[in-house]
Amino acid sequence: MANTKSTSPAYVGFGMLTPVYIMALDKLPKHNTGAIVHQVSDYVYDDAAIIACNLRQWDVPTAMIGTAVGDDLLGHYVADTLKKMGVQGKVRFTKKYKTPLEVNISDKKGARTYFWQRTPEILGTLDTADLSLIKKSKLLYVDWYDGDHILRAMEEALRHNVPVFLNFEHGHKHPELLKKYAGLVTICQAVTDAAQIGKRQAMLSVARKLFKSGIKTAIITMASQGCMVVHGEEVIRVHAPKVKAVDGSGAGATFSAGFIYGFLNGYNLEDSVRFAIAAASLKVTQPGLQMFPVKEIKALAAKLRIDRMIYRGDQFYDIKKLLRLKQSGPLVDHILVKEGRKLAEKYLPKKKIERKKIKRSLVE
């Protein structure tokens, strides 16, 4: 990792700071029984901090604006870990409470069970955090579960024209929250349980809801089903590869880190999503949060299957279906058919060439 002390952070995370212990085992035990833990990893959570550390492993300059931690052993572990990773930002210490702790338990199916400490007193320290790091950054990341404490940071980003990435998860179910955050958000990552088990209409419904609220880029994650991203009229569905899951902890944050990596490096939409899915898929194959090298992630990303759609007039249209229409049919001159072919010509051939170049360069 490169030294970033004199470099303005490209990424700034805003949110909770807590140490975490991640325990990997075969299967969660029944109530009042036990299980053998194969490996224990430690890291710094929540998602904003995970992403900051993950991006540092890919040499992106990052910073954290977080909650205060206790002036104790665990609090200093958090500060020392962020410093060692090269994450900028001052960690504040307090004697008013002990550093909160999180414990995650992951099984072979990729499921995770977690126990965390989050009190209003701890989250309230976000309201007095110094926001000066945001001004020169290229992206601010916030989590919806930190509540209204994130609004001040989002408004600061808006004042300086800094894009905001909101991890909204299931928050889209609350219309009042969507209305409150939508005008401050550039990229929104959400999830729906129905989409995670492969229900396409649920995925499209959430994407439509986010997009109609005014959010420029809507991301719907679907765990092992991959994800869908809507930006303007462009819709891309990327299917996740089949992998043997060992530890699902931090997979969502790793996906976010992957997409942000692409965004900060000027990737187009498809390449950003491919990189994000590949990074998250590789992450779950090993315990802990040691990231795979960019080169390996790109190699997997180039092999992923994608579907393309057009979003227009509040409707989603499958490009492949439009292209399969007969050249002499009654719809050949329809605007959607024409636009579908234009998009295919714009993206599909170009992508094939780029993927060949990527594969060739990896071999060489």
Side-chain angles (χ1 to χ4, degrees):
M1 291 178 289
N3 191 337
T4 62
K5 287 186 177 180
S6 60
T7 305
S8 296
Y11 164 93
V12 172
F14 182 87
M16 183 89 169
L17 282 176
T18 177
V20 63
Y21 292 111
I22 305 170
M23 301 181 183
L25 41 77
D26 291 335
K27 184 179 179 181
L28 284 174
K30 294 181 180 180
H31 177 66
N32 204 31
T33 63
I36 295 176
V37 175
H38 297 301
Q39 185 167 342
V40 178
S41 306
D42 53 68
Y43 215 65
V44 176
Y45 267 33
D46 275 346
D47 284 6
I50 296 174
I51 295 168
C53 293
N54 288 0
L55 288 171
R56 284 298 304 122
Q57 295 181 60
W58 299 325
D59 288 329
V60 176
T62 67
M64 262 303 297
I65 301 173
T67 51
V69 297
D71 191 6
D72 50 32
L73 186 63
L74 289 177
H76 285 275
Y77 163 80
V78 169
D80 292 343
T81 300
L82 292 176
K83 183 178 180 180
K84 182 180 179 180
M85 295 292 294
V87 178
Q88 301 175 50
K90 182 180 179 181
V91 176
R92 297 171 294 155
F93 297 98
T94 180
K95 295 185 179 296
K96 293 182 179 180
Y97 56 76
K98 293 182 179 179
T99 300
L101 177 65
E102 180 170 343
V103 176
N104 277 358
I105 302 174
S106 295
D107 61 29
K108 282 190 174 182
K109 292 183 179 180
R112 65 187 181 93
T113 302
Y114 57 90
F115 307 87
W116 59 357
Q117 297 173 301
R118 299 173 65 85
T119 66
E121 182 183 19
I122 295 172
L123 290 173
T125 62
L126 288 172
D127 298 336
T128 57
D130 181 5
L131 303 180
S132 59
L133 285 168
I134 295 174
K135 184 178 181 179
K136 294 183 179 181
S137 68
K138 295 181 179 178
L139 183 136
L140 171 72
Y141 174 96
V142 294
D143 284 300
W144 81 286
Y145 49 72
D146 286 333
D148 286 351
H149 303 290
I150 66 176
L151 287 171
R152 189 171 68 99
M154 296 169 78
E155 291 165 352
E156 178 71 6
L158 183 64
R159 277 192 288 272
H160 298 291
N161 296 315
V162 174
V164 175
F165 187 117
L166 171 65
N167 177 28
F168 209 21
E169 296 186 342
H170 293 88
H172 59 83
K173 294 181 178 180
H174 307 282
E176 71 281 3
L177 290 180
L178 184 58
K179 183 178 179 180
K180 181 187 297 185
Y181 296 142
L184 301 170
V185 177
T186 310
I187 304 169
C188 182
Q189 180 175 322
V191 66
T192 173
D193 294 332
Q196 286 193 343
I197 58 175
K199 293 188 177 180
R200 180 177 176 180
Q201 288 306 314
M203 168 182 69
L204 297 177
S205 176
V206 175
R208 180 184 289 112
K209 183 195 304 183
L210 296 177
F211 209 62
K212 289 177 70 175
S213 73
I215 292 169
K216 296 179 180 178
T217 303
I219 305 172
I220 314 301
T221 58
M222 301 174 287
S224 62
Q225 300 295 318
C227 80
M228 188 185 79
V229 181
V230 183
H231 179 80
E233 295 184 343
E234 186 178 8
V235 184
I236 297 176
R237 164 78 187 278
V238 179
H239 297 262
K242 291 184 179 180
V243 296
K244 185 177 181 181
V246 174
D247 175 14
S249 296
T254 300
F255 172 91
S256 303
F259 189 89
I260 291 170
Y261 179 86
F263 177 85
L264 294 175
N265 282 281
Y267 288 13
N268 61 31
L269 189 65
E270 180 185 326
D271 288 342
S272 294
V273 185
R274 282 179 174 276
F275 189 89
I277 286 290
S281 298
L282 288 171
K283 180 264 158 287
V284 303
T285 63
Q286 63 182 15
L289 281 155
Q290 178 65 39
M291 292 295 97
F292 279 74
V294 169
K295 186 176 180 179
E296 291 185 37
I297 297 172
K298 283 186 174 180
L300 176 59
K303 301 174 183 177
L304 300 179
R305 181 166 69 91
I306 68 166
D307 297 325
R308 292 186 174 279
M309 302 177 74
I310 298 174
Y311 179 68
R312 178 172 293 181
D314 198 28
Q315 296 296 322
F316 293 91
Y317 301 91
D318 191 307
I319 289 181
K320 287 185 178 179
K321 289 183 179 180
L322 292 175
L323 291 177
R324 283 197 293 265
L325 292 175
K326 294 181 179 180
Q327 293 286 344
S328 58
L331 295 178
V332 68
D333 292 324
H334 193 286
I335 184 66
L336 288 172
V337 177
K338 289 183 177 180
E339 291 299 322
R341 290 199 170 101
K342 285 182 181 179
L343 280 175
E345 291 172 0
K346 180 179 180 182
Y347 294 109
L348 300 182
K350 182 180 179 182
K351 289 291 112 185
K352 288 179 180 177
I353 292 171
E354 287 180 354
R355 282 177 219 136
K356 287 179 180 178
K357 287 182 178 179
I358 291 173
K359 291 179 182 177
R360 191 179 301 120
S361 65
L362 291 174
V363 173
E364 293 171 355

